[in-house]
């Protein structure tokens, strides 16, 4: 059974940092592109970042470029999202997802999803 589990969310003040983790079981994460998405209150889920299977290429949505860093440790079957200089508008539920191919920010291209972890940034 495939499971994708996010952790590391919480409450942080504006300007602070959090590191989210995405642990996979039942699948070999190195065979998948990993993406992070988020859903803010009252908004649709949006793409945040993605990383290729071996971690050589990454992409980010404009609003997090330069503040967030996606990475992965395939030996641990885990991916990460380091979030620095957090802003109140980063408040959302963050989701980790796995896809077969790199290059898409569309949810439909991601096969496996976690349940999400809440990130709340106070002003």
């Amino acid at each position: 059974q495939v499971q994708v589990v996010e952790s590391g969310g919480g409450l942080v003040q504006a300007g602070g940092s959090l590191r989210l983790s995405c642990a996979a079981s039942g699948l070999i994460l190195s065979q998948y592109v990993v993406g992070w998405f988020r859903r803010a209150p009252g908004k649709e889920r949006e793409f945040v970042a993605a990383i290729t299977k071996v971690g050589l290429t990454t992409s980010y949505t404009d609003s997090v470029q330069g503040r967030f860093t996606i990475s992965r440790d395939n030996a641990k079957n885990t991916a990460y999202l380091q979030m620095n200089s957090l802003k109140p508008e980063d408040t959302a539920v963050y989701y980790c997802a796995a896809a077969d191919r790199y290059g898409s920010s569309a949810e439909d291209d991601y096969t496996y999803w976690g349940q999400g972890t809440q990130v709340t940034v106070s002003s």
Side-chain angles (χ1 to χ4, degrees):
Q1 181 180 357
V2 173
Q3 279 194 313
V4 176
V5 180
E6 303 93 339
S7 62
L11 173 64
V12 64
Q13 289 188 331
S17 298
L18 285 173
R19 188 176 83 153
L20 306 183
S21 297
C22 170
S25 60
L27 62 82
I28 301 173
L29 198 60
S30 62
Q31 297 178 350
Y32 294 87
V33 169
V34 173
W36 284 94
F37 292 75
R38 65 186 180 185
R39 178 181 282 134
K43 296 186 178 181
E44 294 187 352
R45 189 157 57 185
E46 65 172 352
F47 170 81
V48 175
I51 187 168
T52 52
K53 297 176 184 180
V54 295
L56 293 181
T57 303
T58 59
S59 60
Y60 300 90
T61 191
D62 288 346
S63 62
V64 308
Q65 183 77 46
R67 300 188 298 122
F68 290 11
T69 302
I70 188 172
S71 62
R72 64 192 302 160
D73 185 340
N74 286 337
K76 296 182 178 179
N77 228 35
T78 301
Y80 305 95
L81 185 68
Q82 177 68 43
M83 305 185 297
N84 298 329
S85 301
L86 283 161
K87 304 175 181 180
E89 51 264 44
D90 294 318
T91 294
V93 177
Y94 283 73
Y95 300 87
C96 176
D100 290 324
R101 295 185 299 172
Y102 182 77
S104 172
S105 60
E107 293 185 35
D108 289 347
D109 290 329
Y110 286 78
T111 306
Y112 301 106
W113 290 83
Q115 293 300 306
T117 185
Q118 176 71 47
V119 171
T120 303
V121 185
S122 63
S123 57

